[in-house]
Amino acid sequence: MNKKEIKRKTKTLMIVLTITPFIIWGIFNVDLGVMFNHKPNMFWVHTPSTLNVGEKGDLVVEVWDQFERISMKYKGSINFSIVSYNLSTFELIPDISVSYNMPNSSNFDKINVGVQEFSFSISTEGFHYILVTDTLTGRVYWSNPIVMDNFIYKLVWGDCHSHSLYSDGGGLPNEVYNYARYIARLDFASLTDHGEYLHLDNGYSALEKATNRANEPGKFVAIQGVEWTSGSAPHVSYDNWGHLTWIFSGSELAHISADIQKTPEDLWTEIDRFTSTTGSMALAFPHHTVVKQFIQEWPICFDYPNYIRLGEVFSIHGSSLVNPHSPWSVVGAVDAPSYRINGSSVNEALMMGLRLSLVANGDSHDGKLGHSLSHTRAFIGHQYPYTYLLSRVSKIYPSGVTGAFVSELTREGVFDAYYSRRVISNSDFGRPYIQFSINNVIVGQDDSTVFVSNATSNREIKVLLAQDGAPQSAMLQAASPWLGDPDWGTTVQIFKNGFLWREQFIDVPVTELTFNDNSTITGASYDGSILINGEYYVNEESETPINPASLNTNGVDYYFIRILCSRGRVTAIGPLWVESLT
């Protein structure tokens, strides 16, 4: 073979090697329907969840395509109306008896890029829904519930677990925060990139500055956060103790990384040092705890109740609330083991004696903080903002959001709500209103603990629910318009000491359910421990020896609520712990 032939073949090989990755990428990441079909499919109507009587609120109407993206092609007009329910009887209030002020109608055009904002006010107490009618199709879209009362705490919504190009996600931090604020319409958010990436190129400082720039108290709260990710990459510790997403109450970001703090002991030591030095408080969310590769090592959390107070139960990974092989698993989880691994779910951690309240986040990697597209066809690689990893394209569930009852919309206010457990978890972008109480003690009051005089004292359990009227998302299911009125068919479940205790079906938007329990308070215990080489562990994945007799609630009962909606939306609140004084 002469030099000319060698040169020609070398050039051909270089061309093939250059274009082959793009061809392979295109096969998996180019979807012409996603690229070119932006036709309007539905409206999403968003309002504040709680307002004082007569207080002005912002009403946002977004036009979505079939992939839950903003569509800029709607050219029609919309009309507004209201449906209201009494605060105490939950009966329908005649429209003529409701005092309100809102626009009569509005046209959409290109300058609004598929989003319009309006101002409204309601001067009548009650549960209210604003209805938006599409004059082109005649379809009617319901808002989330607006509770008009005089509140000490207001219900706001956020997502405190997400990733950007600073680690393995998409989009620069300013883009991600802007999406959270102006598209997902969150009240608070945290970009929690993996610390294992942030030590490169001084990423901690850059992320800290971006979060501080995004923070605007009273309008949008950006919270400092970072994820400690053990055992998931060659450059970090081999041992896998689970993943912990950390948030901080101040303006500084702790330098947390599993290749800096290689053991849980190192991690706790650094968190203690950081909080004492900066005055900032810290909280951690164990998350996707049932995923086979990252089964949570709950024993490392036992001695740190000031940091481990919340468990992430919904995200793009599915649900970690109950074991995926339990009879109560209705959501499922990405990469769950093919066989049951005991002691992995948040519910089982509660049985061990951990006091975890239930939150939901996104763990989104597609730059869509607060409203990921991972469960729709628009997850693919050509979808802006771009990412170089497959992290965002392998998940099939919508991202969740957490409702927090805050005294003020500031970092301190949100952090106080989280620390005090005044939270609601929801599996998609929905914003229902829920109150759960036992003997008039609500979640977040008195550290969510109810004291009764003796072990057989009656416990009056109440669940107040105002459902979100928006269409729902679920596994591999994008939101689609209701054919008529929303389907209010919903099952309200009460779990007690780790087991389903009661459930009731409802088919109305607003209701309050009451149950009574006077059975003997016994507490709960975890009995799934296994013996390996003379020592006990919570499961076969664990590396921390434990005393099985210590894995219990010390005689205290616990209850939490799970709400299963018709098209896959799931909401959870609690637990409340009940303790006998004698």
Side-chain angles (χ1 to χ4, degrees), residues 478-497:
S480 59
W482 301 112
L483 296 179
D485 287 337
D487 180 355
W488 302 115
T490 296
T491 300
V492 178
Q493 298 180 320
I494 303 176
F495 282 78
K496 175 185 177 183
N497 291 341

Side-chain angles (χ1 to χ4, degrees), residues 452-494:
V452 294
S453 59
N454 61 69
T456 57
S457 295
N458 187 61
R459 282 133 275 159
E460 185 182 59
I461 301 163
K462 289 187 176 182
V463 183
L464 171 63
L465 171 63
Q467 298 192 62
D468 191 339
Q472 304 164 14
S473 294
M475 182 183 73
L476 292 175
Q477 174 185 302
S480 59
W482 301 112
L483 296 179
D485 287 337
D487 180 355
W488 302 115
T490 296
T491 300
V492 178
Q493 298 180 320
I494 303 176

Side-chain angles (χ1 to χ4, degrees), residues 394-411:
S394 59
K395 305 302 181 286
I396 57 177
Y397 292 93
S399 56
V401 290
T402 294
F405 289 90
V406 303
S407 57
E408 58 181 6
L409 188 57
T410 62
R411 283 173 170 166

